[in-house]
Amino acid sequence: MLKQILCLFMGFMILGSSFAQVSKNARDYYHKGVALKNKGMASDAIIMFKKAIALNKNYDSAYVDLASVFAKSGKFDTAIILNKKALEINPNSLGAYLGLGNIYRDAIPEYNLAVANYLKALQYDSRNKETYYSIAWCLNAKKEYDSAIVYAVKALEIDNNYVPGYNELGHAYHASKKYKEAIEQFQKNLAVSVNELPLYYSGLCYLELNDREGALRMLEELKKNKSTMAEGLSRRLEGKPKH
């Protein structure tokens, strides 16, 4: 009886060791794949990720990175399948949600699906300014400007100097013609730190409100800060008739 127990124990030890080795080899292939992907060696990276998956069918990160390589090469349907497979394995996969969001935003314009995936991503990383920006971008594309403003502001609350956030915020305010609200928001941003973008967009809003004096104040601030955007606002002032 003791001999049987010892044999069974040894069997489990060998099996456990085998699984550990497979897992280690899968990780090694995965990390090689990531390094190759970062060097732009897509075909070699694909081989490594596939080897990792062959050794570990539940390697969700390998599916996500493999999906990103296929997405970059324009094979979006394959990338979607791989990201969804990663989510079957790990429903908390941040990378898979972001990958799907980016595909539905940029490659296969399905903005509702993009937003849904970005919102899921925020559940696992609520401090990602790029995700808030991406949602704002999609909402602007859908002409849901009030909602876009909310998410663009959130992106700027994380990073007050985040250029894409200002671009989406400025677009949403301009498209919805909420010029006074825009100036108020940009003043809040300027209270955090002086930034050329809120100065520039404020100047545009003053022009839309026919407040030439306000626009000139913004122009002077841009010049004081040696901003290259001063020239653009100056041209807009010259083209705007005086009242």
Side-chain angles (χ1 to χ4, degrees), residues 64 83 92-100:
V64 171
N83 278 314
N92 303 327
S93 175
L94 172 64
Y97 287 121
L98 290 173
L100 288 169

Side-chain angles (χ1 to χ4, degrees), residues 14-30 51-59:
I14 293 168
L15 189 61
S17 176
S18 175
F19 279 136
Q21 187 62 37
V22 167
S23 180
K24 180 182 182 301
N25 289 341
R27 283 198 305 273
D28 289 343
Y29 282 125
Y30 169 71
K51 284 185 176 182
I53 291 167
L55 288 170
N56 182 355
K57 300 292 185 187
N58 293 320
Y59 207 150

